[in-house]
């Protein structure tokens, strides 16, 4: 009897275990072939190609998943128009993911804009701290819940210059009637001070600025602005990036598709996104210094700051718009309150760490060069 029992455990028991385990093994090895659209032209640096980009995210997901998730990336216009990704992924019939910026979806949700950047808000350190540890990401998920979407932060440009102007800015009056390419909350702010803000895909900005269809435009920063050739259409380049102190790119995932993944593959998406977030930021930081030197020294570009009266008016308009929208929508109010409360706490540390270093300590380092 004991011998038979041992034989059963050796052979029959193993077979039984194999029968029980088989479905789990099959499930673990299931593969997913997904499509990801983007708001960027094919080959576009930083956003579409290169370190931390949409294609880098897709590659990392495939490698980290051992090939169990394969993502085909489509540039703007290849499968759908540049700004149709939100609706396409929400439906989930043809596209499972989209790579863009959340402020492109202001027409769907005012609240979505907070998760790209907030005028006069926080830079890379504070903004990402709010998302990760200050309740920001939970509010982002809540904002997208009605649209059947899961958001992932996948990139950050850092602080962006105000942009390129065909004519110099000397006072607030210069913005009256000015046609400027500007997305998100900052576009609403420009409209409030008398400008005409327009949302254009990256691939259309240069031609619009060159032919005078717009008078000014912002994009990202020295390296990517130079790649678009914006310095060939305008020479007045303004700093004081009030509008986008830290600009986060996103991947949105159809929630049904996300829930179809086993937990380990869901973790792959989150970890690939986190890797791209820091990789993209460090890569663009490494490029901008040389690009700015080239623009200033070889292309006749003047890098200037906005007059104080302009900045004051922009701040006041930002404050009024956010207060008005928060009064109209309880979700916007909770996000707005969370963001500014976190910023208030973080500012004390930032002023006494990065701020002190930038304003007093770092100049001594110039003597090492």
């Amino acid at each position: 009897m004991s011998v038979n029992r041992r034989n059963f455990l050796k052979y029959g028991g193993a077979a039984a275990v194999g029968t029980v385990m088989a479905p789990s093994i099959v499930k673990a090895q299931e593969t997913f072939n997904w499509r990801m659209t983007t708001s960027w032209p094919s080959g576009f640096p930083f956003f579409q190609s290169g370190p931390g980009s949409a294609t880098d995210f897709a590659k990392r997901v495939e490698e980290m998943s051992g090939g169990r998730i394969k993502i085909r990336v489509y540039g703007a216009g290849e499968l759908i128009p540049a700004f149709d990704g939100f609706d396409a992924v929400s439906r989930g019939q043809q596209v499972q993911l989209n790579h863009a910026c959340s402020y492109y979806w202001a027409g769907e949700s005012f609240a979505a804009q907070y998760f790209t950047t907030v005028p006069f808000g926080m830079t890379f350190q504070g903004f990402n701290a709010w998302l990760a540890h200050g309740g920001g990401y939970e509010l982002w998920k809540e904002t997208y819940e009605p649209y059947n979407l899961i958001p992932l932060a996948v990139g950050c440009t850092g602080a962006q210059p105000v942009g390129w102007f065909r004519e110099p800015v000397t006072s607030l009056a210069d913005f009256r009637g000015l046609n400027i390419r500007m997305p998100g909350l900052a576009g609403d702010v420009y409209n409030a001070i008398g400008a005409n803000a327009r949302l254009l895909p990256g691939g259309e900005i240069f031609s619009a600025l060159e032919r005078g269809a717009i008078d000014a435009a912002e994009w990202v920063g020295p390296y990517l602005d130079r790649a678009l050739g914006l310095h060939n259409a305008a020479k007045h380049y303004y700093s004081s990036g009030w509008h986008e102190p830290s600009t986060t790119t996103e991947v949105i995932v159809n929630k049904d598709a996300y829930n179809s993944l086993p937990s380990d593959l869901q973790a792959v998406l989150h970890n690939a996104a986190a890797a791209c977030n820091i990789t993209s930021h460090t890569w663009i930081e490494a490029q901008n210094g040389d690009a700015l030197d080239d623009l200033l020294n070889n292309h006749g570009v003047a890098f200037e700051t906005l007059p104080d009266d302009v900045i004051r008016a922009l701040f006041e308009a930002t404050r009024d718009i956010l207060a008005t929208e928060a009064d109209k929508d309880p979700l916007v109010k909770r996000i707005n309150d969370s963001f500014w409360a976190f910023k208030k706490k973080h500012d004390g540390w930032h002023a006494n760490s990065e701020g002190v270093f930038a304003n007093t300590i770092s100049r001594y380092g110039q003597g090492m060069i």
Side-chain angles (χ1 to χ4, degrees), residues 287-300:
Q287 311 307 315
N288 276 335
D290 287 343
L292 181 59
D293 286 345
D294 178 50
L295 290 170
L296 299 182
N297 297 324
N298 301 317
H299 297 282

Side-chain angles (χ1 to χ4, degrees), residues 61-306:
V61 168
E62 182 170 349
E63 291 177 348
M64 293 168 69
S65 69
R68 291 158 61 198
I69 304 179
K70 299 180 186 296
I71 300 173
R72 182 173 178 181
V73 180
Y74 294 85
E78 291 181 348
L79 191 62
I80 60 174
F83 295 140
D84 283 8
F86 190 91
D87 288 337
V89 178
S90 180
R91 293 192 304 270
Q93 298 169 344
Q94 186 182 21
V95 179
Q96 290 77 33
L97 313 98
N98 186 75
H99 189 286
C101 290
S102 68
Y103 59 16
Y104 292 157
W105 323 131
E108 297 285 349
S109 168
F110 183 91
Q113 300 173 92
Y114 281 85
F115 306 105
T116 294
T117 189
V118 179
F120 298 97
M122 292 180 280
T123 58
F124 176 82
Q125 294 96 325
F127 190 85
N128 277 276
W130 174 65
L131 284 181
H133 305 291
Y137 182 64
E138 288 72 22
L139 289 165
W140 197 359
K141 288 195 295 182
E142 183 179 349
T143 299
Y144 281 5
E145 176 67 27
Y147 303 97
N148 201 37
L149 300 171
I150 299 290
L152 302 170
V154 298
C156 186
T157 66
Q160 295 192 11
V162 172
W164 300 83
F165 291 71
R166 290 164 61 91
E167 300 295 334
V169 174
T170 59
S171 71
L172 184 60
D174 292 325
F175 281 89
R176 296 188 187 120
L178 187 82
N179 294 308
I180 182 169
R181 185 270 179 189
M182 179 66 70
L185 284 167
D188 295 336
V189 174
Y190 274 136
N191 290 337
I193 66 169
N196 301 312
R198 296 177 57 186
L199 175 59
L200 296 173
E204 298 179 17
I205 297 174
F206 172 76
S207 61
L209 188 61
E210 183 185 41
R211 69 177 187 270
I214 54 177
D215 306 303
E218 69 83 45
W219 180 229
V220 176
Y223 181 81
L224 294 174
D225 291 3
R226 184 182 63 175
L228 278 188
L230 299 184
H231 57 289
N232 294 318
K235 295 298 183 183
H236 299 278
Y237 196 23
Y238 282 86
S239 184
S240 310
W242 65 276
H243 66 306
E244 298 190 27
S246 181
T247 305
T248 295
T249 48
E250 68 172 14
V251 161
I252 48 175
V253 189
N254 177 270
K255 189 174 182 180
D256 295 330
Y258 178 88
N259 288 338
S260 74
L261 299 175
S263 60
D264 65 322
L265 293 187
Q266 292 176 354
V268 164
L269 294 181
H270 287 275
N271 283 281
C276 286
N277 193 28
I278 186 64
T279 297
S280 64
H281 180 67
T282 53
W283 183 80
I284 199 62
E285 284 288 308
Q287 311 307 315
N288 276 335
D290 287 343
L292 181 59
D293 286 345
D294 178 50
L295 290 170
L296 299 182
N297 297 324
N298 301 317
H299 297 282
V301 170
F303 203 37
E304 306 163 74
T305 57
L306 292 176

Side-chain angles (χ1 to χ4, degrees), residues 8 11-22:
F8 169 79
Y11 300 108
V17 170
T19 301
V20 171
M21 293 296 292

Side-chain angles (χ1 to χ4, degrees), residues 130 134-136 139 333-343:
W130 174 65
L139 289 165
K333 178 172 174 50
R334 287 195 292 116
I335 297 170
N336 191 66
D337 289 350
S338 171
F339 181 90
W340 294 108
F342 189 90
K343 181 181 185 300

